Amino acid sequence: MLLVICVTMSALAKVRLPQFFSDNMVLQQQTDCNIWGWTEAGKKVIVLTSWDKKSYATTANKDGRFQVKVKTPEAGGPYEITFKDGETISLKNILIGEVWICSGQSNMEMQMKGYKAQPVEGATEELLSCNDNDLRLFYGKRLASLEPQQDLSGSWLPANAASVREFSATAYFFGKALRKTLGVPVGLICTAFGGSACEAWMQADWLKAFPKVQQTITEEDVKKLQQRCPTALYNGQLKPLIGYGIRGAIWYQGEDNVPRYDFYAPLMARMIQGWRSEWKQGDFPFYYCQIAPFDYSVTDWALYNSALLREQQQKVETMVDNCRMAVLMDTGIKDVIHPRKKRLAGERLAILALSNTYDIKGLPDFAKYKEVEFKNDTAVVAFDRSKEWVYFENGSTSENFEVASSDKVFHPATKVWVNRNRVYVICNDVKKPVAVRYAFKDWVVGDLMHDGLPVSSFRSDNW
């Protein structure tokens, strides 16, 4: 019996770390990074960092938790971190570089290998050439929980065919673009869950402003709703990570919120505000994908026009500082909700990060609808961020425009053309138009472009 007690006490005394603090991890460069773990309550812990040979001392609290802030240098490595509390453990092959959280629902979670009969375009070619020891990937295990968790299951792996195959394709292509352009190590932490609601990634207090969201959550709710249960993924998959040093976050979610589109913009804005408040890193960059067109008539959400959700997503970047949206109007598949063109999604997120966070010059930008002026029978549509002028991808005109008069009945345009950064729209059946729409439907192939990037669907009315 005495032997059992001694062994148990020894096990309790040894430092235990969350799984995302492990061999092969990437720490954010040139910052004070939080590192935490658990040992015996009241135990002194020494943390040594090999890059500067400094030591940091702390004492575990009554719950056995300890935390230190370590200063990280410019990007580089590999390094080691050693923990001593009477016993010694070491983390090896650590890199210092740029770290991003990658979250959302199935289109962020979708691995390079794709889903059953739903491949990722170019996956085979990518798997043949993806070896990169300086791109490190952490894939968090799914977990919906009523209670906030302290750890997230997963492991850090260097990019190779085996690890990339099982990792988020969107996140991988984002990280690959950063690696190639910045030339520093990149760490990606993917915490996503297919079919998840925005509400699931939020703390309960943040949801009090949204009476349409279920406020009282039970264990039965979590079991029944899983990834759609408010707060369940915040507790299970986000809370454990909060405090890990990051540069920013990327997000690909929204399909599940199509039937609740009417308050998505303030909901997502509150989520971003909450994440930033919890992380205590200021207004860190937040870049997200707009959902791609898809024929929702085959789903339970047939009554809802998903363009209304895309419109809400467009509003978020006007409501939140240091936040931009990647448009995917040209990537959808009519009867498949998971677009294959994940390279475009990842690279467009990378364009936003490289331009706005890393100040890389010369990259294109997403033009967006600004206003419309009606001149007799013609709607003249203007755009912001359109210095390179707008154009149609497949010719000199488009079939994606509609106009309406005061009767609020929309008719397809009969003549559409571009001059510089204006689009001119005429319909023979509407002599006095008062509203114009572009691609404002569930399923559409977006063809309005600017500098190689698509323009979001839009409408001038609020009917």
Side-chain angles (χ1 to χ4, degrees), residues 166-316:
E166 303 296 327
F167 194 73
S168 161
T170 295
Y172 166 79
F173 285 119
F174 170 81
K176 178 185 177 182
L178 263 57
R179 277 278 303 124
K180 189 169 184 178
T181 303
L182 301 175
V184 301
V186 171
L188 304 175
I189 300 175
C190 184
T191 177
F193 200 134
S196 61
C198 183
E199 299 92 321
W201 296 97
M202 298 174 66
Q203 194 181 104
D205 284 350
W206 311 343
L207 292 169
K208 290 179 179 178
F210 304 96
K212 293 183 180 181
V213 178
Q214 181 180 349
Q215 300 294 317
T216 303
I217 309 299
T218 67
E219 190 69 55
E220 280 303 308
D221 294 323
V222 176
K223 289 179 181 178
K224 179 181 178 181
L225 299 173
Q226 284 287 298
Q227 72 274 28
R228 292 181 171 88
C229 183
T231 78
L233 300 185
Y234 169 86
N235 291 331
Q237 291 185 222
L238 191 75
K239 180 64 174 176
L241 292 165
I242 290 175
Y244 193 102
I246 59 172
R247 175 64 70 190
I250 58 172
W251 173 256
Y252 192 164
Q253 190 276 339
E255 294 89 350
D256 186 75
N257 285 81
V258 165
R260 304 182 301 286
Y261 72 87
D262 55 319
F263 61 98
Y264 186 82
L267 183 75
M268 183 176 163
R270 183 65 184 91
M271 185 197 77
I272 298 169
Q273 179 189 357
W275 285 24
R276 288 172 170 174
S277 176
E278 289 282 289
W279 240 282
K280 295 180 173 58
Q281 282 193 207
D283 291 345
F284 60 73
F286 195 99
Y287 303 118
Y288 61 100
C289 286
Q290 185 183 51
I291 63 171
F294 165 71
D295 184 4
Y296 282 85
S297 68
V298 300
T299 73
D300 293 337
W301 307 332
L303 294 176
Y304 305 94
N305 181 358
S306 60
L308 293 164
L309 192 282
R310 296 198 300 266
E311 179 181 63
Q312 289 280 309
Q313 290 180 306
Q314 181 85 74
K315 290 179 180 178
V316 174

Side-chain angles (χ1 to χ4, degrees), residues 28-155:
Q28 179 60 40
Q29 67 170 322
Q30 295 178 293
T31 191
D32 292 329
C33 280
N34 297 309
I35 296 181
W36 64 90
W38 303 272
T39 187
E40 185 179 349
K43 195 91 169 182
K44 184 177 181 180
V45 180
I46 305 295
V47 180
L48 299 97
T49 49
S50 72
W51 53 84
D52 55 8
K53 296 182 171 47
K54 286 187 177 180
S55 64
Y56 303 80
T58 188
T59 301
N61 66 17
K62 61 183 177 62
D63 298 317
R65 190 178 190 276
F66 68 88
Q67 179 172 316
V68 295
K69 287 183 179 290
V70 303
K71 290 188 176 297
T72 54
E74 292 183 356
Y79 298 111
E80 294 186 12
I81 300 178
T82 301
F83 300 81
K84 296 181 178 179
D85 69 341
E87 294 192 41
T88 299
I89 65 169
S90 294
L91 305 183
K92 304 180 185 301
N93 197 27
I94 296 167
L95 297 180
I96 308 294
E98 293 297 298
V99 180
W100 288 79
I101 295 288
C102 315
S103 189
Q105 60 179 111
S106 56
N107 274 307
M108 178 61 80
E109 186 181 43
M110 189 176 187
Q111 297 157 311
M112 186 66 78
K113 67 182 180 183
Y115 295 133
K116 302 297 185 184
Q118 296 181 42
V120 169
E121 186 177 283
T124 301
E125 177 185 7
E126 198 60 43
L127 292 173
L128 289 170
S129 61
C130 64
N131 283 357
D132 185 353
N133 187 56
D134 285 346
L135 177 58
R136 304 286 176 84
L137 314 173
F138 182 94
Y139 206 98
K141 186 177 179 180
R142 290 175 165 188
L143 179 62
S145 174
L146 179 65
E147 299 297 329
Q149 299 298 298
Q150 294 184 321
D151 201 355
L152 181 65
S153 296
S155 59

Side-chain angles (χ1 to χ4, degrees), residues 6-23:
C6 290
V7 170
T8 302
M9 291 180 65
S10 175
L12 288 172
K14 188 174 183 179
V15 167
R16 180 172 64 86
L17 302 169
Q19 293 183 42
F20 41 83
F21 290 127
S22 63
D23 293 347

